[in-house]
């Protein structure tokens, strides 16, 4: 699996790591007094907690957790009180599906997988605050998940709504859209029905504006912010009401371009729009519409696999709408490109200025009326701005002003108003499954839905032997009649419990609030604790959670703040998304059989080397390519440090880690390199540039060896800098250097500016246009010299892969790009 030619000296990772884990445990090194610490020195270092699954920890977890721990240890050594908790997202469909697969009860299974995770997490030597561990399936935890639901219910923010779903009348169940084949049930082939079911929603849309605007002040990656903004999808525009010729009802549309109102030449409704069937002018039209609806559904199912183009894009209903300002009659169509779930599910068709409308109008031979000057509507739609034309009283004004002016006129006449629309929907939290917190509601004939009184929480999940979901479309909890028959908390009459459980994203939307308050059993989070530790100083997680987990967490914080339970509304001041690890250039997957199992590598190389290798793979926020051959590099480096420490420990006494290690016997070049390295490593740790920090320490060691510069002070500084990356190793070295306390309590080394040659500049090194490293060169170095420095740089070399550089692009003093092929 890995090469065995490492020239090991005295360093035995397994025994060193065992010994230090034991010591840390005995000295209770990670015990943190969460209650009484001062305000200024705190740092809440949060990392996404795992859901305990089958395979145990994945290398991606190790990458993330090691990365977070590196920052955490560094800050701790800087004198901060670092709170670094961990827990388990142990409720939910993931866990339940795995239980179904291996045919075990989720409760027993969860206990087992958590125990295994804990073991693996400890083996990594991460400085977790285990005393504050949480598991979301623990009644002490989900009691408060239910409490939060009750607070939302009382505030009118948890509501029941009818939701359109697809129902199979043979299987008697709701189907996911992925379970459809065309418009038929994939299991039994029955034609499915559209149904409407009563489900619980949390009204996240009421916070949509705040959720968008709040992003501006967050220290998050732009991509994560973009993902959230797009998901929320805010649009400013107008709702406009069109009359229907010969009928009393109206058609409402949402448009972002009310300025183009005079260019509307037709109307289009989503096929699912309730008016579609009613507007059918005669039997034949009704039949045509019906057929079209099925065709659209088939097509939508097919486009999940690959695009299917049919020629039919819509059907004329036979009815006409009345233009609100001109009174013109506009034909009303059902059209496949109008989405039922957005806006009002209906649009005004403005072919001259909207390309989809243009395509539709060309297909059906509808009028195209230009109302914004600037394009050529005979060839394509013109979506831009310009003076209005053909627009009655509004002709001549700029389109941007036309939006407000036309909206105002409509408002005067009671035919429209300015609105803000969001693509995001309310958060559906009902799940007809077993493994989750029962939604704490009791249904009473007389009182309606009544929340379970807070003193009766938690509503315990009953121990159902048969927890499988079935075809009934209701939760397995409905099988336990003894459980769900309860008296109404309001009037005492016979009533029954809600049998749905809540979405696992609700469990994880507030776990960070619980960590500092785990020992309280009478409140979800203690106000004083919360003030002391929150909001979270740094959150590390995956960008795949940017829209769900992070959005839901922000929403709940806003709600809890509004209800007076929290002093902040943004829970995560800083968020950083970790990169992804691939194996030999390919995505890891079980089917490919290329999943890196951390345990094997740790057994062979030790946790420190494994962690160092992962942190060295590439920039933390980009990830990297795991190659078995690569791991020996960091190991060899640690072995050499081990030797160096041995020499230094036996050599002349130095001035200590924090002072300048200035023994005269050490060459000035070596001292300069040391001070540069301290500065670089410190800066890199602040910005999560772990790979370049490690590369710098490797270079330092090379320089020290080159100059045979053995110094106790330098050795101490190097060991301290290594501690966040290779904690056990650093402890052992620290001890060998004569210390009796933990290296975690050592002062972080400083650098002395007098050694930092001022006339040197840092140049970014790219390989094929991607930033891979930085090298320091004399200011004014020519392209040749910078090229050589880049080729000598460890971090860069790893990306060259032994290939030759075909081309160099040099931006003097700033950047060099090496093109290899
Ligand atoms: C007339 C118009 C004229 C439009 C024009 C655009 C340009 P965003 O920006 O994403 O919010 N629309 C509204 N509801 C729709 C639905 N349910 N399905 C499909 N399309 C819908 O998009 C808003 C625009 O998308 C709206 O403005 C509407 O077309 C269309 F020159 O109205 B517009
Ligand atoms: Zn009642």
């Amino acid at each position: 699996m890995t090469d065995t030619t490492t020239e090991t000296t005295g360093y035995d990772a397994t025994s060193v790591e065992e010994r230090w884990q034991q010591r840390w445990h005995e000295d209770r090194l990670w015990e943190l007094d969460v209650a009484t610490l001062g305000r200024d020195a705190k740092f809440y270092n949060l990392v996404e907690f795992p859901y305990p699954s089958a395979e145990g920890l994945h290398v991606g977890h190790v990458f993330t957790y090691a990365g977070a721990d590196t920052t955490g240890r560094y800050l701790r050594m800087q004198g901060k009180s670092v709170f670094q908790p961990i827990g388990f997202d142990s409720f939910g469909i993931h866990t339940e599906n795995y239980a179904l697969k291996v045919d075990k009860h989720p409760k027993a299974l969860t206990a087992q997988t958590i125990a295994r995770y804990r073991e693996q997490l400890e083996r990594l030597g991460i400085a977790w605050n285990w005393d504050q561990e949480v598991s979301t399936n623990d009644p002490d935890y989900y009691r408060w998940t239910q409490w939060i639901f009750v607070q939302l219910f009382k505030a009118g923010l948890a509501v029941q709504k009818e939701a359109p779903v697809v129902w199979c009348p043979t299987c008697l169940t709701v189907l996911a859209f992925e379970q459809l084949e065309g418009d038929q049930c994939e299991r039994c082939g029955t034609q499915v029905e559209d149904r409407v079911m009563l489900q619980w929603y949390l009204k996240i849309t009421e916070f949509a504006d705040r959720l968008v605007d709040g992003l501006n002040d967050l220290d998050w990656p732009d991509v994560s912010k973009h993902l959230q903004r797009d998901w929320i999808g805010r649009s400013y525009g107008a709702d406009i009401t069109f009359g229907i010729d010969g009928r009393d009802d109206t058609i409402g549309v949402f448009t972002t371009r009310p300025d183009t109102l005079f260019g509307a030449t037709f109307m289009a409704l989503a096929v699912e729009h309730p008016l579609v069937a009613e507007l059918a002018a005669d039997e034949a039209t009704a039949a045509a519409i019906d057929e079209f609806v099925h065709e659209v559904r088939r097509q939508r199912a097919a486009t999940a696999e690959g695009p299917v183009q049919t020629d039919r894009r819509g059907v004329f209903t036979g009815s006409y709408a009345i233009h609100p300002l001109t009174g013109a009659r506009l034909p009303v169509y059902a059209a496949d490109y109008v989405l039922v779930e957005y806006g009002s599910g209906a649009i005004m068709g403005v072919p001259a200025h909207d390309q989809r409308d243009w395509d539709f109008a060309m297909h059906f031979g509808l009028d195209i009326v230009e109302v914004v000057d600037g394009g050529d509507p005979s060839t394509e739609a013109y979506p831009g701005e310009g003076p209005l034309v053909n627009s009655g009283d509004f002709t001549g004004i700029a389109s941007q002003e036309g939006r407000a002016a036309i909206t105002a006129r409509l408002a005067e006449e009671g035919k429209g108003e300015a609105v803000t629309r969001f693509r995001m929907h309310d958060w559906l939290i009902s799940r007809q499954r077993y493994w989750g917190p029962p939604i704490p509601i009791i249904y009473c004939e007389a009182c309606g839905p009544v929340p379970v009184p807070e003193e009766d929480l938690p509503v315990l999940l009953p121990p159902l032997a048969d927890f499988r979901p079935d075809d009934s479309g209701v939760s397995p909890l409905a099988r336990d009649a003894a459980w769900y028959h309860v008296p109404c908390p309001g009037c005492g009459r016979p009533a029954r419990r809600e049998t749905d459980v809540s979405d696992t994203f609700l469990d994880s939307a507030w776990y960070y609030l619980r960590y500092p308050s785990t020992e309280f059993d009478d409140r979800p989070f203690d106000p004083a604790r919360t003030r002391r530790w929150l909001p979270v100083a740094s959150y590390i997680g995956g960008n795949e959670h940017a829209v769900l987990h992070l959005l839901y967490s922000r929403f709940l914080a806003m709600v809890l703040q509004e209800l007076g339970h929290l002093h902040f509304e943004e829970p995560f001041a800083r968020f950083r998304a970790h990169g992804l690890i691939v194996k030999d250039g390919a995505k890891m997957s079980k089917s490919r059989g290329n999943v890196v199992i951390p345990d094997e590598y740790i057994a062979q190389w030790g946790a420190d080397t494994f962690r160092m290798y992962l942190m060295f793979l590439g920039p933390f926020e980009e990830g990297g390519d795991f190659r078995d051959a690569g791991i020996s590099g960091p190991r060899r480096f640690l072995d050499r440090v081990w030797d160096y420490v041995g020499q230094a420990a036996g050599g002349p006494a130095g001035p200590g880690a924090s002072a300048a290690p200035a023994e005269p016997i050490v060459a000035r070049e070596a001292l300069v390199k040391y001070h540069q390295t301290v500065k670089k490593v410190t800066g890199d740790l602040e910005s999560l540039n772990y790979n370049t920090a490690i590369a710098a320490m490797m270079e330092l060691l090379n320089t020290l060896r080159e100059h045979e510069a053995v110094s106790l002070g330098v050795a101490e500084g190097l060991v301290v800098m290594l501690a966040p990356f290779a904690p056990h190793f650093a402890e052992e070295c620290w001890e060998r250097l004569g210390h009796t306390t933990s290296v975690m309590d050592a002062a972080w080394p400083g650098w002395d500016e007098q050694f930092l040659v001022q006339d040197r500049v840092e140049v970014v090194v790219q390989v094929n246009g991607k930033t891979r490293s930085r090298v320091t060169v004399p200011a004014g170095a020519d392209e040749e010299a910078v090229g050589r420095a880049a080729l000598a740089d460890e971090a860069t070399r790893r990306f060259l892969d032994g290939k030759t550089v075909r081309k160099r692009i040099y931006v003097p003093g700033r950047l060099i790009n090496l093109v290899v092929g």
Side-chain angles (χ1 to χ4, degrees):
M1 172 174 77
T2 38
D3 85 302
T4 47
T5 57
T6 329
E7 11 144 340
T8 352
T9 44
Y11 170 46
D12 173 9
T14 311
S15 67
V16 164
E17 292 177 4
E18 250 168 43
R19 174 155 174 259
W20 284 98
Q21 285 181 9
Q22 181 117 23
R23 273 279 289 278
W24 293 336
H25 194 71
E26 281 160 12
D27 297 351
R28 301 200 54 77
L29 198 65
W30 314 129
E31 191 169 59
L32 181 67
D33 188 350
V34 279
T36 59
L37 284 166
R39 316 192 96 216
D40 30 42
K42 68 178 168 44
F43 191 91
Y44 189 160
N45 192 32
L46 182 69
V47 62
E48 267 169 17
F49 63 166
Y51 65 86
S53 74
E55 294 78 23
L57 276 193
H58 183 268
V59 62
H61 290 116
V62 181
F63 178 67
T64 307
Y65 298 151
D69 191 45
T70 303
T71 289
R73 284 178 180 267
Y74 162 69
L75 292 173
R76 191 192 146 123
M77 295 174 83
Q78 292 277 11
K80 294 225 163 91
S81 299
V82 176
F83 182 37
Q84 199 166 284
I86 188 73
F88 301 95
D89 193 11
S90 41
F91 252 155
I93 288 195
H94 276 303
T95 310
E96 188 180 308
N97 283 348
Y98 176 53
L100 287 166
K101 198 172 126 200
V102 300
D103 200 23
K104 278 203 160 185
H105 195 276
K107 190 165 177 193
L109 188 69
T110 301
Q112 193 182 311
T113 46
I114 286 181
R116 166 146 163 71
Y117 264 64
R118 232 187 249 127
E119 223 171 81
Q120 287 182 299
L121 285 169
E122 285 198 79
R123 181 64 188 87
L124 290 168
I126 291 176
W128 304 116
N129 294 107
W130 282 110
D131 289 348
Q132 280 79 27
E133 180 190 335
V134 304
S135 292
T136 55
N137 73 309
D138 184 341
D140 290 341
Y141 182 87
Y142 71 75
R143 166 184 184 184
W144 302 112
T145 307
Q146 293 172 336
W147 178 89
I148 287 173
F149 176 89
V150 170
Q151 307 315 305
L152 269 90
F153 178 86
K154 287 180 176 164
L157 293 168
V159 294
Q160 274 183 303
K161 282 195 285 190
E162 312 243 276
V165 290
V166 182
W167 179 263
C168 171
T170 306
C171 296
L172 294 172
T173 185
V174 167
L175 299 180
F177 286 104
E178 301 81 57
Q179 294 171 314
L180 287 181
E181 262 165 24
D183 60 349
Q184 296 175 351
C185 172
E186 94 185 331
R187 263 188 293 196
C188 67
T190 313
Q191 187 163 316
V192 296
E193 295 168 6
D194 291 320
R195 275 227 184 163
V196 166
M197 277 176 59
L198 206 54
Q199 312 264 316
W200 285 100
Y201 288 84
L202 302 185
K203 291 169 104 175
I204 188 170
T205 53
E206 290 204 356
F207 289 77
D209 268 320
R210 278 165 76 178
L211 287 166
V212 180
D213 296 337
L215 288 171
N216 295 336
D217 302 325
L218 296 180
D219 176 12
W220 284 22
D222 284 337
V223 265
S224 317
K225 291 189 186 187
H226 271 141
L227 286 168
Q228 276 207 10
R229 274 198 200 99
D230 285 354
W231 178 267
I232 299 168
R234 177 164 67 187
S235 297
Y236 296 109
D239 277 347
I240 303 179
T241 309
F242 288 72
I244 305 175
D245 199 12
R247 291 174 62 104
D248 282 342
D249 39 10
T250 56
I251 299 173
V253 303
F254 170 65
T255 177
T256 46
R257 296 294 303 269
D259 51 315
T260 65
L261 178 58
F262 286 81
T265 57
F266 68 95
M267 308 284 295
L269 308 179
V271 293
E272 301 91 340
H273 194 288
L275 270 180
V276 166
E278 285 189 40
L279 289 184
D282 53 51
E283 287 284 313
T285 313
I289 289 173
D290 206 45
E291 198 192 310
F292 178 64
V293 169
H294 283 293
E295 193 178 311
V296 169
R297 185 174 285 133
R298 269 196 296 278
Q299 201 185 334
R300 282 181 190 163
T303 43
E305 288 147 30
V308 165
Q309 275 304 330
T310 69
D311 246 7
R312 245 193 335 169
R313 301 188 170 129
V315 173
F316 179 45
T317 61
S319 295
Y320 291 84
I322 307 293
H323 191 287
L325 295 185
T326 66
R329 289 171 86 240
L330 310 178
V332 180
Y333 284 76
D336 63 358
Y337 72 99
V338 182
L339 309 171
V340 70
E341 67 274 5
Y342 187 56
S344 64
I347 62 148
M348 63 179 194
V350 185
H353 303 291
D354 181 308
Q355 193 59 44
R356 293 161 305 176
D357 297 346
W358 192 89
D359 294 340
F360 193 84
M362 292 304 275
H363 186 78
F364 286 99
L366 300 165
D367 292 343
I368 297 177
V369 177
E370 179 181 43
V371 290
V372 179
D373 194 21
D376 175 8
S378 67
T379 54
E380 63 181 350
Y382 171 65
E385 309 291 346
L388 296 185
V389 293
N390 300 322
S391 294
D393 300 351
F394 302 94
T395 298
I397 67 172
S399 51
Q400 291 98 324
E401 285 140 46
R403 309 226 222 295
I406 291 181
T407 305
R409 172 76 56 83
L410 290 167
E412 272 164 36
E413 299 186 11
K415 290 173 179 166
E417 59 179 343
V419 290
T420 306
R421 288 274 184 184
F422 300 93
R423 238 161 236 289
M424 176 178 66
H425 296 291
D426 280 337
W427 175 11
L428 189 154
I429 59 150
S430 302
R431 294 289 178 277
Q432 293 81 35
R433 299 290 289 240
Y434 173 68
W435 194 235
I439 293 175
I441 287 288
I442 293 169
Y443 296 100
C444 166
E445 296 258 317
C447 309
V450 184
V452 173
E454 287 174 29
E455 59 275 17
D456 294 347
L457 296 177
V459 177
L460 287 173
L461 184 65
L464 273 195
D466 178 13
F467 63 90
R468 286 167 189 281
D470 67 12
D471 293 346
S472 67
V474 293
S475 163
L477 293 183
R479 289 173 212 150
D480 191 343
W483 176 80
Y484 73 72
H485 284 302
V486 282
C488 167
C491 67
R493 267 182 271 215
R496 66 169 187 87
R497 289 189 190 282
E498 169 63 80
T499 54
D500 285 352
V501 299
S502 56
D503 182 9
T504 175
F505 278 108
L506 184 59
D507 304 329
S508 57
W510 76 279
Y511 75 114
Y512 70 95
L513 289 171
R514 183 64 182 164
Y515 280 138
S517 297
T518 43
E519 81 266 31
F520 292 96
D521 60 7
D522 61 345
R523 65 201 85 167
F525 40 89
D526 177 68
R529 282 295 165 79
T530 302
R531 269 188 190 277
R532 184 155 293 131
W533 288 104
L534 285 145
V536 169
S538 166
Y539 193 12
I540 288 177
N543 244 335
E544 70 276 18
H545 290 137
V547 288
L548 298 174
H549 167 60
L550 289 176
L551 189 65
Y552 295 148
S553 301
R554 295 181 61 221
F555 159 62
L556 271 200
M558 285 176 188
V559 171
L560 291 169
Q561 189 236 23
E562 191 128 308
L563 299 179
H565 298 292
L566 284 184
H567 66 282
F568 58 88
E569 67 167 25
E570 289 291 351
F572 314 125
R574 180 177 92 163
F575 170 71
R576 290 289 178 273
H578 59 77
L580 295 180
I581 304 289
V582 296
K583 178 78 202 300
D584 302 316
K587 208 176 138 117
M588 274 181 254
S589 73
K590 262 192 283 179
S591 53
R592 281 207 185 88
N594 66 344
V595 176
V596 172
I597 311 287
D599 310 49
E600 298 166 12
Y601 289 86
I602 292 171
Q604 185 179 355
W605 299 95
D608 286 330
T609 297
F610 191 61
R611 288 177 60 161
M612 285 274 287
Y613 177 51
L614 289 176
M615 295 301 98
F616 189 52
L617 272 184
F620 183 66
E621 294 175 69
E622 283 173 31
D625 187 6
F626 192 106
R627 291 172 188 266
D628 286 352
I631 197 166
S632 60
R635 177 57 204 247
R636 200 169 315 126
F637 168 64
L638 291 182
D639 284 334
R640 286 181 180 163
V641 174
W642 182 268
D643 289 346
Y644 185 79
V645 164
Q647 290 168 14
S658 47
E663 296 103 298
I665 48 161
V666 173
R668 186 178 163 88
E669 284 99 318
L671 284 180
V672 166
K673 186 75 184 174
Y674 170 80
H675 286 276
Q676 284 172 342
T677 306
V678 173
K679 186 174 182 180
K680 169 140 185 70
V681 170
T682 306
D684 282 352
L685 276 165
E686 295 283 346
S687 54
L688 275 62
N689 287 312
Y690 306 136
N691 62 326
T692 50
I694 294 173
M697 289 188 279
M698 290 175 168
E699 278 170 37
L700 169 62
L701 190 69
N702 288 343
T703 307
L704 295 173
R705 285 160 61 103
E706 222 168 88
H707 294 276
E708 293 176 13
V710 178
S711 149
L712 180 57
V714 168
E716 287 186 327
L718 180 57
V719 166
V720 172
M721 287 191 286
L722 271 171
F725 299 94
H728 318 80
F729 175 84
E731 292 278 27
E732 186 77 17
C733 289
W734 192 239
E735 195 182 72
R736 290 172 73 219
L737 289 168
H739 297 274
T740 50
T741 52
S742 168
V743 69
M744 295 305 297
D745 294 327
W748 190 258
W751 63 89
D752 188 338
E753 290 288 340
Q754 76 163 38
F755 287 103
L756 298 182
V757 188
Q758 292 306 316
D759 55 354
R760 290 174 81 80
V761 290
E762 208 183 51
V763 175
V764 169
V765 183
Q766 297 187 332
V767 177
N768 290 341
K770 283 192 117 176
T771 299
R772 298 305 190 185
S773 187
R774 288 176 176 78
V775 291
T776 308
V777 296
D782 62 2
E783 180 176 336
E784 247 339 282
V786 177
R788 258 183 281 121
L791 289 179
D793 173 60
E794 287 273 358
T796 307
R797 280 227 302 265
R798 291 188 32 262
F799 288 99
L800 296 176
D801 250 353
K803 286 179 223 135
T804 43
V805 176
R806 281 199 288 105
K807 206 175 144 196
R808 262 190 332 231
I809 300 153
Y810 183 53
V811 184
R814 295 187 41 207
L815 179 152
I816 189 158
N817 181 11
L818 306 177
V819 182
V820 297

